[in-house]
Amino acid sequence: MRKDINIPEVADVYVAAVKEFNETHRTDDWNAYIVNDSDEPLELVLIVSNGYNEKKKTSLMRHKLQVLPAKSFAKIEFIEDSVLELTNEFAVTYFLDGKMFEKTFVFQAGSIKDENKAPVPSMLKEGVLAE
């Protein structure tokens, strides 16, 4: 019965951590973004994020986007410095062409750092892509 369920593979959708200058606080902050590098808009994008390790666990954060246009991105949330030492997960669910897609993107503990930055698709910025 389980073999009869077709779960489409997520392609051209990413979660990225991008370091940006915050004008208000005059600091360099990491922000999480959802990136749609596909040629089609994503509909009803739901994102649930949390961080954890053996001793700590953050609250669940829930986010919703009605539509994420093709070749675009949207800010999910600010990533506070103390959370960088945790494993951070972003469970993303969305609809495309009437089908539901789902993937959990993971930043391993300590992976969000300047040394790991690379170009982020559709953003024209550098950041760290989640696995």
Side-chain angles (χ1 to χ4, degrees):
M1 188 134 149
R2 204 175 222 187
K3 63 181 170 61
D4 297 332
I5 299 172
N6 180 24
I7 300 173
E9 185 176 333
V10 171
D12 299 323
V13 175
Y14 308 94
V15 172
V18 177
K19 195 174 210 180
E20 299 171 306
F21 185 72
N22 182 322
E23 290 286 338
T24 304
H25 299 284
R26 315 250 344 125
T27 57
D28 288 319
D29 297 333
W30 287 99
N31 295 297
Y33 284 87
I34 178 109
V35 180
N36 178 10
D37 195 39
S38 75
D39 294 325
E40 299 292 328
L42 308 181
E43 298 175 347
L44 192 59
V45 181
L46 302 173
I47 305 163
V48 178
S49 64
N50 71 319
Y52 60 87
N53 67 14
E54 308 80 40
K55 297 178 184 177
K56 295 181 187 177
K57 185 173 183 178
T58 66
S59 299
L60 287 178
M61 302 287 286
R62 293 174 179 85
H63 310 276
K64 175 187 165 194
L65 297 167
Q66 200 62 38
V67 176
L68 183 60
K71 302 292 184 187
S72 70
F73 56 90
K75 185 175 177 180
I76 301 171
E77 65 190 26
F78 162 73
I79 304 173
E80 205 271 322
D81 285 344
S82 66
V83 176
L84 298 177
E85 66 189 36
L86 305 176
T87 296
N88 289 278
E89 290 186 347
F90 293 81
V92 177
T93 304
Y94 61 90
F95 288 89
L96 176 64
D97 294 330
K99 295 180 184 173
M100 186 173 82
F101 291 76
E102 183 176 62
K103 181 173 180 179
T104 299
F105 294 89
V106 179
F107 291 105
Q108 295 299 329
S111 66
I112 301 174
K113 56 185 175 183
D114 289 326
E115 297 82 44
N116 292 339
K117 290 195 303 189
V120 176
S122 292
M123 283 192 77
L124 303 176
K125 293 184 177 187
E126 286 196 337
V128 179
L129 292 177
E131 301 170 358

